[in-house]
Amino acid sequence: MIDFRSDTVTRPTPGMLNAMYNAPVGDDVFGEDPTINQLEYFAAALFGMEAAIFCPSGTMTNQIAIKCHTQPGDEVICDHLSHIYQYEGGGIAFNSGCSVRLLQGDRGRITAEQVLGAIHPDDIHKPISTLVSLENTANRAGGSCYDFQEIQSIRKVCDAHQLKLHLDGARLFNALVAKNETCKQYGEVFDTISICLSKGLGAPVGSLLLGPAAFIKKARRFRKVFGGGMRQAGMLAAAGLYALEHHVQRLQEDHQHTQLLADTLQQKDFVGEILPVETNIVIFEVKGRFTAADLVTTLKQSNILALAISPTQIRLVVHLDITPAMIETTVQKIKAL
């Protein structure tokens, strides 16, 4: 099967498996797993931040960050397509007792002006605006990337109004490669950053939360409360470390393959609007002789897996396990429809 459903379906490469097999391990709840300690140090240094904590998932790192940044009754400002709102099980309300101010951004990206307009005054009738969360790339918006200058402008608004700024960077490395930006730039502008190791980077599991040392110490307590403390998990950390060291620059190949798919789809009469392709995701409208569900079924008959994200839209995600030959096969199958 050629699996475009998500970049979460990747399997460890031989080099990654070898690193996992040879990883020294210890009890991480005691702080004694040397490979986890190495991964946390490496990731924090990569972004120029003080500390990091390794967690099972990006949902957990996001939720821990929100919990640490807020108090019950506070409000989180984010785009209406944000993963923290759409796909984390109502965790902002459940875990942190916070409300959410949803903004209608441009393909998942909000502006400094919008943030400024969303901040509540000091009014007992209103929740307290405390945290702004950005997502880069924006999954539901087709892997769109923020302009870094806009992020800097949002930072200035946050500073002026005593708000914290968090980044859901589940696919941040895709954005960094696409925009030719650096980890250090992001470490300088965000209070906290969540990065996922198990999407485009190809690790089997795991995410990291980065931030100031005191914040990460607090995060470690909430990771325990949330049930995320792991023991001899160094073999998982080894996969993440290998991914950061070997799988970042190759993301450009995924982006090129995604553009090939988009160019092919653009030529078909059953394809309507295609969201602009910036990274490894293409989201397109299905019309005419197919519904989204019909097209997914038709592609599956050719051993191609896709995901219908609405009655009229399909998402294709290119990743580590999609080879050039698979892209060529898919292009030819689409052309034949």
Side-chain angles (χ1 to χ4, degrees):
M1 283 290 184
I2 303 173
D3 196 343
F4 292 106
R5 290 173 300 168
S6 177
D7 46 9
T8 61
V9 302
T10 59
R11 293 173 174 82
T13 62
M16 184 179 287
L17 285 171
N18 186 61
M20 295 170 71
Y21 182 79
N22 290 295
V25 299
D27 191 320
D28 183 50
V29 175
F30 287 132
E32 295 174 354
D33 191 297
T35 310
I36 291 178
N37 292 342
Q38 183 184 0
L39 171 63
E40 291 172 345
Y41 178 83
F42 181 89
L46 194 62
F47 283 83
M49 303 188 87
E50 290 182 347
I53 183 171
F54 181 53
C55 295
S57 72
T59 293
M60 181 172 282
T61 49
N62 281 332
Q63 290 300 314
I64 289 173
I66 294 167
K67 181 69 175 174
C68 290
H69 279 306
T70 65
Q71 293 293 321
D74 288 354
E75 187 163 80
V76 180
I77 298 170
C78 64
D79 185 84
H80 72 113
L81 296 177
S82 295
H83 191 280
I84 62 167
Y85 178 76
Q86 294 282 354
Y87 299 117
E88 297 188 5
I92 296 173
F94 189 88
N95 297 315
S96 299
C98 291
S99 60
V100 185
R101 184 70 176 271
L102 299 178
L103 303 181
Q104 300 287 323
D106 172 29
R107 292 191 294 126
R109 301 164 302 182
I110 58 179
T111 67
E113 184 178 4
Q114 286 180 300
V115 172
L116 181 61
I119 299 171
H120 289 304
D122 185 7
D123 182 341
I124 62 170
H125 302 89
K126 304 288 186 180
I128 300 170
S129 302
T130 302
L131 175 66
V132 176
S133 180
L134 310 183
E135 183 180 338
N136 197 24
T137 68
N139 166 32
R140 282 290 276 127
S144 60
C145 303
Y146 267 91
D147 183 285
F148 189 72
Q149 288 185 331
E150 191 64 51
I151 294 175
Q152 290 175 312
S153 296
I154 293 171
R155 171 80 263 175
K156 290 178 182 178
V157 171
C158 291
D159 287 343
H161 295 271
Q162 295 77 54
L163 275 68
K164 297 298 185 181
L165 183 60
H166 173 68
L167 176 65
D168 175 2
R171 294 179 175 87
L172 176 58
F173 290 96
N174 291 92
L176 295 177
V177 169
K179 305 285 279 186
N180 196 29
E181 295 165 347
T182 69
C183 298
K184 292 286 176 64
Q185 285 177 278
Y186 278 74
E188 290 171 356
V189 77
F190 284 94
D191 292 294
T192 52
I193 298 174
S194 166
I195 57 171
C196 187
L197 304 169
S198 63
K199 293 187 171 69
L201 296 183
V205 65
S207 288
L208 289 153
L209 178 61
L210 318 174
F215 184 95
I216 296 302
K217 181 179 180 180
K218 185 177 180 180
R220 203 166 292 279
R221 174 176 290 276
F222 281 120
R223 186 186 68 171
K224 182 65 175 176
V225 172
F226 287 176
M230 296 180 286
R231 301 297 178 174
Q232 292 76 23
M235 61 190 69
L236 299 178
L241 192 60
Y242 185 92
L244 289 173
E245 292 175 332
H246 296 92
H247 290 170
V248 174
Q249 289 307 314
R250 62 148 304 280
L251 293 171
Q252 186 60 48
E253 179 181 326
D254 293 344
H255 300 170
Q256 293 166 354
H257 287 163
T258 307
Q259 188 63 58
L260 283 174
L261 294 177
D263 292 344
T264 304
L265 289 164
Q266 188 69 63
Q267 302 169 26
K268 304 306 296 185
D269 64 344
F270 56 83
V271 174
E273 180 188 11
I274 301 177
L275 295 185
V277 172
E278 295 187 62
T279 51
N280 67 321
I281 300 173
V282 56
I283 293 177
F284 62 96
E285 177 191 14
V286 182
K287 63 178 186 177
R289 53 196 173 97
F290 288 108
T291 65
D294 290 339
L295 185 54
V296 166
T297 299
T298 299
L299 290 171
K300 189 175 182 179
Q301 291 168 355
S302 296
N303 293 327
I304 299 168
L305 298 181
L307 186 68
I309 61 171
S310 81
T312 60
Q313 285 183 310
I314 286 177
R315 185 186 75 171
L316 303 176
V317 185
V318 181
H319 50 78
L320 182 68
D321 288 356
I322 299 294
T323 66
M326 290 176 176
I327 292 293
E328 180 59 25
T329 297
T330 303
V331 165
Q332 295 305 319
K333 293 292 185 181
I334 293 172
K335 286 181 175 180
L337 291 176

